[in-house]
Amino acid sequence: MSRYFVTTAISYPNGRPHIGHAYEVIATDWLARFARLDGRDTYFMTGTDEHGLKIAQAAREEGVEPQAFVDGMVQHFVAMCDRLNISRDRFIRTTDPDHKAVVQALWTKLVEAGDIYLDRYEGWYSVRDEAYYDEDELSTSDDGTKLAPTGTEVAWTVEESWFFRLSRFQEPLLKLYAEQPNFVQPTNRLNEMKAFVERGLKDLSISRTSFDWGVPVPESPGHVMYVWLDALTNYLTPSGWPAAGWEARWPADLHVIGKDVVRFHAIYWPAFLMSADLPLPRKIFGHGFVLNRGAKMSKSLGNIVEPMSLADTFGVDPLRYYLLRAIQFGQDGEWSHEAIGRRINADLANDLGNLAQRTLSMIAKNCDNAVPPDGPATEADTTLLAEVSTMLADARAAHEQVRPDLALDAIWARVSAVNLYLNEMVPWTLRKTDPARADIVLYHAAEAIRRIALLVQPAMPESAAKLLDQLAIAADARSFASFDAKLMPGTPLPAPQGVFPRWVEPEVE
RNA sequence: GGCGGGGUAGCUCAGCUGGUUAGAGCACAGGAUUCAUAACCCUGAGGCCGCGGGUUCAAGUCCCGCCCCCGCCA
């Protein structure tokens, strides 16, 4: 059985989760659920990146210890996962004891490899940004203080720091990109990484002495690890490396991340792993951002909408569906209240929901509440089933490409095909003239809906389950292994109920 | 500033190596129908294909210039 280990980036819990967090975790959940249903040994991990100066500062402002601060904040992220039906196998926290142990082991391994050395780091440092800036990036404010491009105050800072010999990995990384052009996707991101590496790599400062909220550097009092080494290593943690048996859960098949952190995942992370002589993840996918009416959400614009409130308004499954279907994965996308409402009506209520309802209610009224009898198939019947049966291959291809939107496109093309089939076969008319033929038509429609519902599961688990319940599909017959099975005529069916109600804009008081 | 991507119907986008009347979905209008969640199905309207030159029998598709947007880097 093939393994599938997929991760999201870990979130920085210095604020509450926003729709960007929801988007990434929903998309990755789709990937994981799909792989699981497709019979793969799947492990899906998401979590939080809890160290660093900004967390320490936020905690101080609230007058609590950093650990207490993150313990509180992380609950919002866990609650979001619960609410959005995120089927993670582990919610990892960089404050977890096993994670700290793995990070320290990795550090030691990098030291042994000769890729870590002690030096001094100095430069213009912004406490707020937790970053150093070059002289020519700075501006000077009216009162003479130096400002970073982000507008925050910087001060000349000198600190002792451990460095990682990133420069040594320029050629190996370029070789990697050349040999595995799918290592980073979409391709334009790969090209950006190539260009970046070709310009030359500077060694990387990987420890700090200016604060202590981090994983301590082994045998180096006063130093904590630079956040990216700590954070990236979370992916390795569940393997238990270097303890025996780690190969069972490493390397990852896919890291799903935002386009803003591609560099860390596509350059630093592979370099760390190469230094430690560990296998590399198979693929890194940088998705786009989801904007509210094309504008980034911000406190000053007052347009922050929390994902939980969208789930309250539209329902979890419709929200998941919108984000997965309406945005090309890898591109930026937008959402609006109206756009989600339109999608719900056009795709869920009118197309799939109505298809299920018209089919199931005809069966309920005319077929004794049971799967209708099958019989000699016409060309139209076999054509329909042939078209529907190729849907699985299309969806698998989309999954391989990390394109949930394309998978849903492929599924909805079949939804339309079944609606058209019914219109052409007119079973409601046949009922009066040729009831046996009407049954056969309904049988084929129901069978097509069964297959569609199977493939809808990763996107809308609860709604798909309702559809499958109405077709009396057993729990152990809902994986893709049962895709080519057939409905058993005569199987008793429950009373049909609408699964996707129309979205009606609430009356404005 | 350097490198890269893009500007096609109201919206989101397809249009491969140049070749018949430029396509899809949504939204909109009309029709048909009534099994169904006023849904499904059919038809239609709607495009100086960013702007200006050029190459060619023929350019959304190639070349040059310009304008605008986005990404990476500086």
Side-chain angles (χ1 to χ4, degrees), chain A residues 426-499:
Chain A
V426 287
W428 51 91
T429 302
L430 286 174
R431 180 60 52 196
K432 300 162 192 160
T433 58
D434 187 354
R437 175 62 195 153
D439 285 344
I440 295 169
V441 168
L442 290 177
Y443 177 86
H444 282 86
E447 172 54 29
I449 293 168
R450 182 187 68 86
R451 297 185 191 204
I452 287 166
L454 287 179
L455 289 195
V456 165
Q457 293 179 96
M460 298 185 284
E462 289 188 356
S463 305
K466 286 182 191 168
L467 288 175
L468 292 167
D469 288 346
Q470 295 191 33
L471 289 166
I473 304 302
D476 62 0
R478 297 186 178 194
S479 79
F480 298 163
S482 298
F483 185 77
D484 290 321
K486 287 286 199 73
L487 284 170
M488 181 67 72
T491 307
L493 297 177
Q497 288 182 339
V499 175

Side-chain angles (χ1 to χ4, degrees), chain A residues 223-264:
Chain A
H223 284 262
V224 295
M225 291 183 205
Y226 173 51
V227 288
W228 277 105
L229 177 60
D230 173 12
L232 288 163
T233 303
N234 91 84
Y235 303 128
L236 182 60
T237 294
S239 75
W241 180 88
W246 59 269
E247 296 94 336
R249 194 146 286 155
W250 186 259
D253 291 272
L254 174 64
H255 294 317
V256 175
I257 59 172
K259 64 182 183 180
D260 54 332
V261 290
V262 170
R263 192 165 98 203
F264 306 101

Side-chain angles (χ1 to χ4, degrees), chain A residues 342-354:
Chain A
R342 270 199 302 272
R343 273 285 172 189
I344 289 173
N345 284 344
D347 296 2
L348 301 184
N350 295 354
D351 289 348
L352 178 55
N354 183 50

Side-chain angles (χ1 to χ4, degrees), chain A residues 294-425:
Chain A
K296 199 154 187 166
M297 289 196 283
S298 74
K299 284 174 188 165
S300 57
L301 283 173
N303 62 347
I304 294 205
V305 177
E306 300 204 2
M308 302 288 248
S309 115
L310 283 175
D312 290 343
T313 303
F314 295 106
V316 171
D317 277 354
L319 174 62
R320 289 172 59 110
Y321 177 81
Y322 179 84
L323 292 172
L324 293 170
R325 176 83 195 274
I327 301 163
Q328 294 184 56
F329 204 61
Q331 304 282 105
D332 285 351
E334 26 182 311
W335 67 273
S336 67
H337 192 87
E338 296 78 7
I340 298 176
R342 270 199 302 272
R343 273 285 172 189
I344 289 173
N345 284 344
D347 296 2
L348 301 184
N350 295 354
D351 289 348
L352 178 55
N354 183 50
L355 170 64
Q357 187 68 11
R358 68 197 297 210
T359 305
L360 290 167
S361 68
M362 275 187 273
I363 289 174
K365 285 175 192 165
N366 301 299
C367 308
D368 287 334
N369 292 311
V371 174
D374 195 4
T378 65
E379 190 179 340
D381 302 344
T382 51
T383 299
L384 177 76
L385 279 196
E387 180 173 0
V388 169
S389 60
T390 54
M391 170 174 56
L392 178 55
D394 290 351
R396 279 183 177 137
H399 182 266
E400 177 61 27
Q401 294 174 66
V402 196
R403 291 292 301 275
D405 53 308
L406 292 182
L408 292 169
D409 285 348
I411 295 164
W412 256 257
R414 274 66 177 199
V415 172
S416 294
V418 185
N419 268 321
L420 185 55
Y421 169 81
L422 284 178
N423 277 26
E424 290 178 344
M425 296 301 109

Side-chain angles (χ1 to χ4, degrees), chain A residues 70-386:
Chain A
V70 292
D71 285 349
M73 200 58 94
V74 162
Q75 294 318 308
H76 296 297
F77 288 83
V78 173
M80 179 183 75
C81 287
D82 287 340
R83 182 66 205 283
L84 296 177
N85 232 333
I86 303 306
S87 65
R88 75 280 186 189
D89 294 290
R90 175 168 176 179
F91 188 99
I92 193 170
R93 303 177 54 179
T94 54
T95 51
D96 288 339
D98 66 332
H99 171 71
K100 293 184 193 172
V102 172
V103 179
Q104 290 183 322
L106 181 64
W107 179 284
T108 302
K109 181 82 177 181
L110 301 184
V111 170
E112 288 168 7
D115 286 325
I116 288 184
Y117 62 93
L118 190 63
D119 203 337
R120 285 153 58 90
Y121 196 99
E122 54 188 310
W124 292 102
Y125 185 73
S126 162
V127 174
R128 286 259 308 277
D129 300 347
E130 207 173 315
Y132 283 89
Y133 292 95
D134 287 336
E135 180 87 45
D136 58 7
E137 291 181 88
L138 304 177
S139 58
T140 306
S141 71
D142 297 338
D143 60 1
T145 55
K146 298 267 193 182
L147 299 179
T150 52
T152 61
E153 195 171 321
V154 297
W156 186 259
T157 307
V158 181
E159 63 177 309
E160 187 182 66
S161 172
W162 291 99
F163 281 79
F164 173 72
R165 291 188 201 282
L166 184 63
S167 56
R168 197 165 84 72
F169 295 90
Q170 180 170 355
E171 288 311 315
L173 285 168
L174 290 174
K175 186 161 175 276
L176 167 68
Y177 304 149
E179 289 175 353
Q180 292 183 55
N182 289 329
F183 180 67
V184 180
Q185 289 190 320
T187 304
N188 62 319
R189 300 288 163 205
L190 176 75
N191 293 336
E192 289 172 3
M193 292 305 107
K194 273 186 194 167
F196 184 88
V197 174
E198 280 166 358
R199 283 188 206 99
L201 294 171
K202 284 189 286 192
D203 288 349
L204 197 64
S205 169
I206 53 168
S207 77
R208 290 287 185 272
T209 56
S210 50
F211 58 91
D212 64 0
W213 179 237
V215 179
V217 172
E219 298 173 39
S220 184
H223 284 262
V224 295
M225 291 183 205
Y226 173 51
V227 288
W228 277 105
L229 177 60
D230 173 12
L232 288 163
T233 303
N234 91 84
Y235 303 128
L236 182 60
T237 294
S239 75
W241 180 88
W246 59 269
E247 296 94 336
R249 194 146 286 155
W250 186 259
D253 291 272
L254 174 64
H255 294 317
V256 175
I257 59 172
K259 64 182 183 180
D260 54 332
V261 290
V262 170
R263 192 165 98 203
F264 306 101
H265 286 78
I267 296 176
Y268 301 170
W269 181 224
F272 295 152
L273 292 167
M274 286 177 187
S275 172
D277 198 27
L278 281 164
L280 308 184
R282 299 206 171 87
K283 190 182 288 187
I284 312 260
F285 194 102
H287 67 251
F289 295 147
V290 186
L291 308 173
N292 183 359
R293 290 179 197 285
K296 199 154 187 166
M297 289 196 283
S298 74
K299 284 174 188 165
S300 57
L301 283 173
N303 62 347
I304 294 205
V305 177
E306 300 204 2
M308 302 288 248
S309 115
L310 283 175
D312 290 343
T313 303
F314 295 106
V316 171
D317 277 354
L319 174 62
R320 289 172 59 110
Y321 177 81
Y322 179 84
L323 292 172
L324 293 170
R325 176 83 195 274
I327 301 163
Q328 294 184 56
F329 204 61
Q331 304 282 105
D332 285 351
E334 26 182 311
W335 67 273
S336 67
H337 192 87
E338 296 78 7
I340 298 176
R342 270 199 302 272
R343 273 285 172 189
I344 289 173
N345 284 344
D347 296 2
L348 301 184
N350 295 354
D351 289 348
L352 178 55
N354 183 50
L355 170 64
Q357 187 68 11
R358 68 197 297 210
T359 305
L360 290 167
S361 68
M362 275 187 273
I363 289 174
K365 285 175 192 165
N366 301 299
C367 308
D368 287 334
N369 292 311
V371 174
D374 195 4
T378 65
E379 190 179 340
D381 302 344
T382 51
T383 299
L384 177 76
L385 279 196

